[in-house]
Amino acid sequence: MKRISMIDVAKAANVSQATVSRALNTPSRVSKETLEKIINIIKETNYIYNSAAADFTRQKKTLIGLIVFTLKSSIQTGLIDGIQKEIEKTNYSLIIGNSHYDPATEHRLIQEFQERQLAGIIVAESTELNRDFLRSVHKAGIHVVLTWDKNEDPVLDSVGIDNYKASSDMTNYLIGLGHRRIGFIAGMYNKIERVRHRFEGYCDALKAADIPIDHKLIISTTPSALNGKIAMAQLLSHDPDLTAVFAASDALAFGALSAIRDKKLRVPEDISICGFDDAEFSSFCSPSLTTIHVPTEEMGRCAANVIVEKIRTGKENQLKITLDTNIIIRDSCGNPPHKK
Amino acid sequence: MKRISMIDVAKAANVSQATVSRALNTPSRVSKETLEKIINIIKETNYIYNSAAADFTRQKKTLIGLIVFTLKSSIQTGLIDGIQKEIEKTNYSLIIGNSHYDPATEHRLIQEFQERQLAGIIVAESTELNRDFLRSVHKAGIHVVLTWDKNEDPVLDSVGIDNYKASSDMTNYLIGLGHRRIGFIAGMYNKIERVRHRFEGYCDALKAADIPIDHKLIISTTPSALNGKIAMAQLLSHDPDLTAVFAASDALAFGALSAIRDKKLRVPEDISICGFDDAEFSSFCSPSLTTIHVPTEEMGRCAANVIVEKIRTGKENQLKITLDTNIIIRDSCGNPPHKK
DNA sequence: TTGAAAGCGATACCAT
DNA sequence: ATGGTATCGCTTTCAA
């Protein structure tokens, strides 16, 4: 049993294939009777329109690709959700690739997306290693939007937040509370630009306050509650003078809280903790977490809108959008304990 | 500037297009010199292989669709991550649709996927309303795998867990601890099959223990920490006799813990709480959460493998796979307090 | 309003 | 090992 195609419908309706195509795409350009006849035949025959063939003929895909580092994070999920919500309003669909923090995988995904002739690619955090490649893809006519970080790329569009500033603001907040020995737990800042910017924000804020940077207080790890707990336990056992820790993601901060409880210390009386992201759980944990709110969903929506707009208009102007973040003060930070 | 196509490469290399195609797909069937020549030309000309056109010609797509109810849940994320990890080992790509709990949207997505000629569709929780449609899609040659629930569908494959049994086991555990007034907070069991099965498991366990079902103790809401908190606050203010609450998702349970803290009650001394899912945060919150471990990632991997296998072999045998769940006992459940 | 026909970019069968 | 060519299912110009 062969699959029914447009030509079969045309024959059955005694019209040309062109007319069937018009009936489906621009019904206003077909007479009422013909339209009705065609619609009926389609129903009778269970004809399924082949949008893949249409894309092929039109020489343009209706797919947009998204590349993320990981899917296991509420933060990425918020972004994806936002992107999805905007994309689904259009006739585009979203195709997702996961690079697992690996530049080579990311490269492969970009190439694959290019070969699939996608209309556009949103990259949540490309490593700088692939920037040249992305620029060449962009030059070849596929729209590219970088997201997550306020980005200096001279060619590519970007939609992100100012990770550096948010991080330095938060560090200053801790300094303002009186802390001098402030630990820092973060993702892999050697690999991920936005995390590096957070790290730089932390360092520069300390420098500006004449606090020396102590590398024993800095831990880089894969962001997860478990790793946050491990990192915090390590800091606590090595550094009795520590009075505050800035965890550059809420998942890490959440795990850190658990390590502190295990040591029978109190937050914020004995030690202050703050996070970065404003994940859903952060306002419900105990104590609730002081953190930086990141508008992940809005960021996703914005990135999606930018790329759809670019695809539709074909404009070449570069767009750089930076969304605001702000410190959400809750219960996990306070003044440092008095020296014993 | 026109895009370079295979025919251009062929001309430049003084061979036929067929040879270029062979060079790319089955290099062993091309002489060494020819192959080399072609490779060079490709590099020089920056030719990009058009896999969309190849899919079209071959009459089969290399895309697999996934439909989820929501992306905002670590549970869905685990599933997606698992699917992704297996899919990316193959030459298929994953395209994601979000139905937002809406059957009509789900219907639209299924249709869209069918029109895109996808090789297969994984549906994380279709509403039963769309089962007929899915069966027709399956009949039309697109492989379909249902996931999340042990499923009785007579035609479609499924990979899931036994939500009913897990839920009744957990309820029995609470009953075994001595609880008689057990609240239940869950997602929308009227709309989602797996949640309904959890609800039925709870009800049947109570019945079996001769505990009457009290609808004032049952709340249905959208799963999130916030809603869990709201629901728990409501239960606490209406029902002073309540000694335990079974939240049918960890996010709800997490919010419930927060509501209990606000009332200055202790867990588990005053009230026991258990969840469902075993989300990452559940072992790090305070108290750590007794819950049901769901192998989301494995479920995703398994669903992906099933669909890829079906696509490749074209086999028609129906597969029903049920993965095991188990109760993870942590610190949030205990015996009920003594009657005052 | 409708039809005829070219074309999109590859694959794959059949020859040579 | 290589080439010629029909073909996939649709869109789109040009004519009628």
Side-chain angles (χ1 to χ4, degrees):
Chain A
M1 161 185 120
K2 208 176 128 291
R3 169 170 273 146
I4 296 126
S5 71
M6 205 179 255
I7 191 94
D8 303 315
V9 175
K11 278 177 193 158
N14 261 316
V15 295
S16 74
Q17 193 182 356
T19 302
V20 178
S21 178
R22 282 185 206 108
L24 261 30
N25 291 295
T26 49
S28 63
R29 293 177 40 182
V30 172
S31 78
K32 214 178 147 195
E33 306 88 60
T34 315
L35 181 59
E36 203 168 319
K37 194 165 57 179
I38 291 172
I39 300 292
N40 282 332
I41 300 277
I42 286 178
K43 278 194 187 131
E44 281 170 30
T45 54
N46 279 319
Y47 162 68
I48 308 286
Y49 178 77
N50 185 332
S51 62
D55 273 5
F56 173 58
T57 302
R58 285 204 188 93
Q59 297 282 73
K60 50 182 242 190
K61 293 274 110 206
T62 48
L63 287 171
I64 291 172
L66 168 67
I67 299 178
V68 294
F69 268 17
T70 176
L71 281 166
K72 278 194 163 170
S73 142
S74 62
I75 287 324
Q76 295 295 3
T77 311
L79 180 81
I80 298 173
D81 200 47
I83 292 174
Q84 242 285 136
K85 280 184 180 150
E86 291 304 311
I87 298 260
E88 74 187 17
K89 291 183 193 166
T90 70
N91 58 334
Y92 293 88
S93 292
L94 187 66
I95 171 167
I96 294 189
N98 186 343
S99 70
H100 304 286
Y101 296 97
D102 177 35
T105 304
E106 182 177 281
H107 191 281
R108 209 199 65 220
L109 286 168
I110 297 168
Q111 170 143 14
E112 185 189 314
F113 285 176
Q114 188 179 21
E115 292 188 348
R116 283 190 190 278
Q117 321 283 309
L118 300 203
I121 304 179
I122 299 174
V123 191
E125 311 230 46
S126 77
T127 59
E128 286 150 297
L129 294 173
N130 285 321
R131 284 301 150 72
D132 277 343
F133 186 31
L134 279 172
R135 280 190 280 265
S136 83
V137 169
H138 169 256
K139 207 171 171 185
I142 297 184
H143 296 274
V144 175
V145 173
L146 302 176
T147 189
W148 257 116
D149 200 43
K150 177 175 185 284
N151 191 287
E152 306 297 336
D153 191 281
V155 178
L156 304 173
D157 294 340
S158 68
V159 175
I161 58 168
D162 190 338
N163 287 285
Y164 174 86
K165 180 171 178 303
S167 181
S168 100
D169 285 352
M170 183 61 105
T171 309
N172 281 328
Y173 169 71
L174 292 172
I175 294 169
L177 286 173
H179 296 280
R180 305 276 306 171
R181 284 194 73 73
I182 302 171
F184 186 74
I185 308 175
M188 286 149 301
Y189 46 78
N190 53 335
K191 290 171 87 175
I192 309 177
E193 205 171 357
R194 87 173 136 117
V195 182
R196 197 186 73 227
H197 288 160
R198 292 181 189 182
F199 177 60
E200 289 167 354
Y202 159 81
C203 291
D204 288 358
L206 290 186
K207 276 182 210 155
D210 279 326
I211 301 174
I213 291 162
D214 183 345
H215 286 275
K216 292 196 300 298
L217 264 50
I218 296 168
I219 296 185
S220 171
T221 181
T222 306
S224 72
L226 177 59
N227 286 329
K229 182 171 186 164
I230 293 170
M232 189 71 214
Q234 194 175 324
L235 286 178
L236 285 173
S237 61
H238 291 0
D239 237 285
D241 294 341
L242 197 69
T243 64
V245 169
F246 179 11
S249 98
D250 280 2
L252 290 169
F254 189 73
L257 287 177
S258 170
I260 296 171
R261 265 196 306 273
D262 287 355
K263 285 268 184 182
K264 311 286 181 211
L265 294 171
R266 294 160 305 163
V267 175
E269 292 82 356
D270 298 315
I271 190 158
S272 291
I273 295 286
C274 62
F276 198 127
D277 288 341
D278 195 22
E280 200 216 353
F281 60 76
S282 303
S283 52
F284 299 102
C285 60
S286 171
S288 61
L289 204 58
T290 290
T291 187
I292 292 160
H293 177 72
V294 179
T296 48
E297 186 174 329
E298 194 191 336
M299 190 161 73
R301 301 185 101 108
C302 187
N305 285 328
V306 165
I307 208 161
V308 168
E309 192 58 21
K310 283 287 182 98
I311 292 167
R312 289 195 168 150
T313 65
K315 278 191 190 154
E316 290 293 337
N317 60 318
Q318 193 191 17
L319 285 173
K320 294 281 186 193
I321 298 178
T322 304
L323 302 175
D324 285 341
T325 58
N326 51 301
I327 297 184
I328 309 282
I329 296 181
R330 299 206 184 92
D331 304 330
S332 64
C333 292
N335 299 313
H338 295 294
K339 278 259 167 70
K340 300 151 206 166
Chain B
M1 162 185 121
K2 210 176 130 289
R3 169 169 271 146
I4 294 126
S5 71
M6 204 179 254
I7 191 92
D8 302 316
V9 175
K11 277 178 194 156
N14 260 318
V15 295
S16 73
Q17 193 182 356
T19 302
V20 178
S21 179
R22 281 185 208 106
L24 260 30
N25 291 296
T26 50
S28 63
R29 292 177 40 183
V30 172
S31 80
K32 215 178 146 193
E33 306 88 58
T34 315
L35 182 59
E36 203 167 320
K37 193 166 56 180
I38 291 172
I39 300 291
N40 282 332
I41 299 277
I42 287 177
K43 278 194 188 132
E44 281 170 28
T45 55
N46 278 318
Y47 163 68
I48 307 287
Y49 179 77
N50 185 333
S51 63
D55 273 7
F56 173 60
T57 303
R58 285 203 190 94
Q59 297 282 72
K60 51 182 240 189
K61 292 274 108 204
T62 48
L63 287 171
I64 290 173
L66 168 67
I67 299 178
V68 295
F69 267 18
T70 176
L71 282 165
K72 280 195 162 167
S73 141
S74 62
I75 287 323
Q76 295 295 3
T77 312
L79 179 82
I80 298 173
D81 200 45
I83 292 173
Q84 242 285 325
K85 280 185 179 149
E86 292 303 311
I87 299 263
E88 72 187 18
K89 290 184 193 165
T90 70
N91 58 335
Y92 293 89
S93 293
L94 187 66
I95 170 168
I96 294 189
N98 185 343
S99 70
H100 304 286
Y101 295 98
D102 176 36
T105 305
E106 182 178 280
H107 192 281
R108 209 199 65 219
L109 285 168
I110 297 168
Q111 170 143 13
E112 184 188 315
F113 284 176
Q114 188 179 22
E115 293 187 348
R116 282 191 191 277
Q117 319 288 136
L118 300 204
I121 305 179
I122 299 174
V123 190
E125 315 230 44
S126 77
T127 59
E128 286 151 297
L129 294 173
N130 285 321
R131 282 304 149 72
D132 277 343
F133 184 33
L134 280 172
R135 281 190 280 266
S136 82
V137 168
H138 169 256
K139 208 171 169 187
I142 297 183
H143 296 275
V144 175
V145 173
L146 302 177
T147 189
W148 259 114
D149 199 44
K150 177 174 184 285
N151 191 288
E152 307 297 338
D153 190 280
V155 178
L156 304 174
D157 295 340
S158 69
V159 175
I161 59 168
D162 190 337
N163 288 285
Y164 174 86
K165 182 172 176 303
S167 180
S168 98
D169 285 353
M170 181 61 103
T171 309
N172 281 328
Y173 169 70
L174 292 173
I175 293 169
L177 287 173
H179 296 280
R180 305 277 303 170
R181 283 194 74 72
I182 303 172
F184 186 74
I185 307 175
M188 287 150 299
Y189 47 78
N190 53 335
K191 290 172 87 174
I192 309 177
E193 205 169 359
R194 86 173 136 114
V195 182
R196 197 185 72 227
H197 289 159
R198 291 181 189 182
F199 177 61
E200 289 167 355
Y202 159 81
C203 290
D204 288 358
L206 290 187
K207 277 182 207 154
D210 280 326
I211 301 175
I213 290 162
D214 183 345
H215 286 274
K216 291 195 302 297
L217 266 49
I218 296 168
I219 295 184
S220 171
T221 181
T222 306
S224 72
L226 176 60
N227 286 328
K229 181 169 187 167
I230 293 170
M232 189 72 211
Q234 192 177 328
L235 287 177
L236 286 174
S237 60
H238 291 0
D239 236 284
D241 294 341
L242 197 71
T243 65
V245 169
F246 179 10
S249 99
D250 280 2
L252 291 170
F254 189 73
L257 287 178
S258 169
I260 296 170
R261 263 196 308 273
D262 286 355
K263 284 268 186 182
K264 310 288 179 210
L265 294 171
R266 294 159 305 163
V267 175
E269 293 81 354
D270 299 315
I271 191 157
S272 291
I273 295 287
C274 62
F276 198 126
D277 289 340
D278 196 21
E280 201 216 353
F281 60 77
S282 303
S283 52
F284 299 103
C285 59
S286 169
S288 62
L289 204 58
T290 291
T291 187
I292 292 160
H293 177 73
V294 178
T296 48
E297 186 174 330
E298 194 191 336
M299 190 161 74
R301 301 187 102 106
C302 188
N305 284 330
V306 164
I307 207 160
V308 169
E309 191 61 21
K310 283 288 183 93
I311 292 168
R312 287 195 169 149
T313 66
K315 276 189 191 158
E316 289 294 336
N317 61 317
Q318 194 193 16
L319 284 174
K320 293 283 186 193
I321 298 178
T322 305
L323 303 175
D324 285 340
T325 57
N326 52 299
I327 296 184
I328 309 283
I329 296 181
R330 298 207 184 92
D331 304 328
S332 64
C333 293
N335 299 313
H338 294 295
K339 279 261 166 67
K340 300 152 207 171

